Amino acid sequence: VSGNVSSSYGTEFRRRSIEAAVLDWIVLDGFSATRPKPAHVQRILSLISRHKVDVISPQGFSSVPVGYLVGLLSGRPIVTNYLPSVQASEASSMTGELSARQQMAYRLVTAACKSDRYIAMSSDIERFFREKCRIPKERIHKLLLGVETDFYREPSADERRLARTRFGIAEATLVAVLPGRMNLNKGHDVAAAAFRILRERRADIPTLCLFPGGGDQRELIESDVLRDEADRSAFRFLGFVDREMLRDTYWAADIVLLPSRVEGFGLVVAEAMCCGAIVIRTPSGGWQDQVVEGKTGYMVPFNDPAALAVAIETFIDCPDRFAMRTQAMRLASSKFAKSLMIDGTSALYREMAAARRRRHPGSASAAA
């Protein structure tokens, strides 16, 4: 159940995936999750009764109030799932935690609209729930975000060679990829500055940084990054790419960069790691689950091109890049498989539904 949803060309695949996964998608015109109309609440309650719904699962922080309300009125357990960016939102400033006002909003809504369980999709979010929202540990269920590990996988030697050929990349070139939407918070400027430093320090190493992704700030970012001919040779903006071409960027890359100032998890990093890329990223959301320092990648401070350049140079000088590549793929494929996320979520829903049936043995129920 949702309000009106729009999608761009870049998000159409995601929308089609959702439509294919659900039995029914009910759109309530003019729906507001934070201030739902009584008619909308009544419609949701009727849907819960008609479909014999077992569990209410608000997706996103703004959906918590309406999820709590219909859960309370229907007597169904509530499993809440949201992924706050637990860093500040100002791209121009050094990234820190949410402001005191923002933290208080999360705490108040969480206290007023209690859920039976909260899904934490990263170690950062687990800590945020526990320390900032004051959610009891026993109500937090950690389930890392998952990717399609059968699609995002280790390339064969031929697949890697063909991927680099697709982008016209010579064998000796060090390739980095910074995937994601064109947004100032992603740190494209930091990556570009780091590669300029590296270019001066290690002129013997040819480098290329690929930027796949679309967005309304692309023109602004491109004008800042592409300052001269050397930059135009070193940085390549690909625009929005389909998933096959995105995978080719991962297969062609040695490094995946995420110098983000704000990040929920960094799902593209998990995808790239499954393909064998070494991660170099800031400690924004998800880093604790992705970076094993010096083994699967490196963590660098926010807004620090010099530190990013040092990390890239450390990787260049690594005596056994193959071992790092192998460890990155093993960690990612074992922790970030979408099947683990699906099975874990399903098991949690079934557990909550079973608990309700034990409390109310006469209630009707459908399979979770």
Side-chain angles (χ1 to χ4, degrees):
V1 179
S2 73
N4 294 304
V5 177
S6 61
S7 58
S8 64
Y9 177 72
T11 59
E12 189 58 30
F13 173 78
R14 197 174 292 179
R15 178 175 182 138
R16 290 199 306 269
S17 298
I18 296 172
E19 289 175 335
V22 299
L23 295 175
D24 198 2
W25 186 341
I26 294 93
V27 175
L28 304 179
D29 190 42
F31 175 69
S32 169
T34 53
R35 295 182 179 179
K37 298 176 182 177
H40 288 158
V41 173
Q42 188 59 46
R43 176 82 191 282
I44 296 172
L45 290 172
S46 68
L47 290 167
I48 290 171
S49 177
R50 185 195 314 162
H51 292 286
K52 298 181 173 63
V53 167
D54 290 302
V55 178
I56 309 297
S57 188
Q59 300 290 308
F61 183 69
S62 63
S63 298
V64 169
V66 71
Y68 172 75
L69 179 59
V70 297
L72 185 69
L73 294 174
S74 67
R76 266 60 170 187
I78 306 167
V79 178
T80 293
N81 187 345
Y82 62 88
L83 187 67
S85 294
V86 296
Q87 281 76 35
S89 57
E90 287 297 322
S92 59
S93 65
M94 185 62 70
T95 304
E97 288 199 339
L98 292 166
S99 68
R101 181 177 179 180
Q102 290 170 316
Q103 290 185 37
M104 184 58 68
Y106 276 102
R107 188 175 300 170
L108 288 175
V109 171
T110 303
C113 305
K114 289 185 173 65
S115 295
D116 297 277
R117 292 291 186 277
Y118 296 82
I119 295 178
M121 292 179 282
S122 72
S123 296
D124 307 74
I125 302 306
E126 181 182 30
R127 189 177 67 253
F128 177 79
F129 282 165
R130 194 173 61 250
E131 297 178 0
K132 304 302 181 183
C133 298
R134 310 283 176 82
I135 298 171
K137 184 178 180 180
E138 61 272 14
R139 291 195 175 194
I140 301 172
H141 196 87
K142 185 176 177 182
L143 279 171
L144 297 180
L145 282 173
V147 302
E148 297 170 85
T149 51
D150 56 342
F151 181 79
Y152 297 107
R153 56 171 175 79
E154 179 182 10
S156 67
D158 282 344
E159 286 172 330
R160 179 169 166 82
R161 177 180 53 78
L162 288 171
R164 290 172 76 93
T165 300
R166 180 176 187 176
F167 298 108
I169 301 170
E171 185 177 347
T173 301
L174 177 79
V175 181
V177 58
L178 197 169
R181 70 188 186 281
M182 291 290 122
N183 186 283
L184 293 172
N185 282 330
K186 291 292 183 180
H188 297 84
D189 56 321
V190 178
F195 269 85
R196 291 189 193 103
I197 294 170
L198 192 66
R199 196 161 62 210
E200 293 181 3
R201 190 180 297 165
R202 299 295 293 269
D204 58 314
I205 304 292
T207 60
L208 176 66
C209 192
L210 302 173
F211 296 135
D216 56 5
Q217 293 183 334
R218 176 177 173 176
E219 186 176 340
L220 177 64
I221 292 169
E222 277 199 46
S223 65
D224 177 66
V225 170
L226 302 179
R227 299 179 181 180
D228 53 32
E229 283 302 317
D231 284 343
R232 278 183 275 276
S233 297
F235 309 116
R236 194 177 302 173
F237 288 85
L238 304 179
F240 172 78
V241 298
D242 61 29
R243 63 201 295 261
E244 284 77 16
M245 188 170 178
L246 179 62
R247 184 178 63 179
D248 273 358
T249 67
Y250 298 152
W251 282 355
D254 302 292
I255 301 166
V256 56
L257 300 177
L258 198 73
S260 298
R261 299 170 171 103
V262 175
E263 196 65 55
F265 181 77
L267 203 59
V268 291
V269 169
E271 293 171 349
M273 289 175 69
C274 287
C275 295
I278 302 304
V279 56
I280 303 178
R281 58 164 297 169
T282 58
S284 54
W287 76 272
Q288 292 176 321
D289 303 301
Q290 297 169 350
V291 178
V292 180
E293 189 69 23
K295 294 183 178 180
T296 66
Y298 307 94
M299 195 272 286
V300 296
F302 293 107
N303 295 334
D304 195 335
L308 181 55
V310 168
I312 297 171
E313 193 169 15
T314 300
F315 173 74
I316 291 173
D317 295 332
C318 176
D320 195 350
R321 292 192 205 172
F322 181 78
M324 286 191 72
R325 184 179 176 88
T326 301
Q327 288 181 90
M329 286 188 291
R330 284 178 178 171
L331 180 140
S333 60
S334 65
K335 291 180 68 173
F336 306 130
K338 183 174 282 188
S339 59
L340 296 176
M341 180 180 69
I342 293 170
D343 292 345
T345 305
S346 177
L348 177 59
Y349 287 161
R350 290 175 185 277
E351 174 191 333
M352 301 309 297
R356 175 177 177 268
R357 287 194 293 270
R358 287 194 296 271
R359 292 194 304 269
H360 307 283
S363 64
S365 177

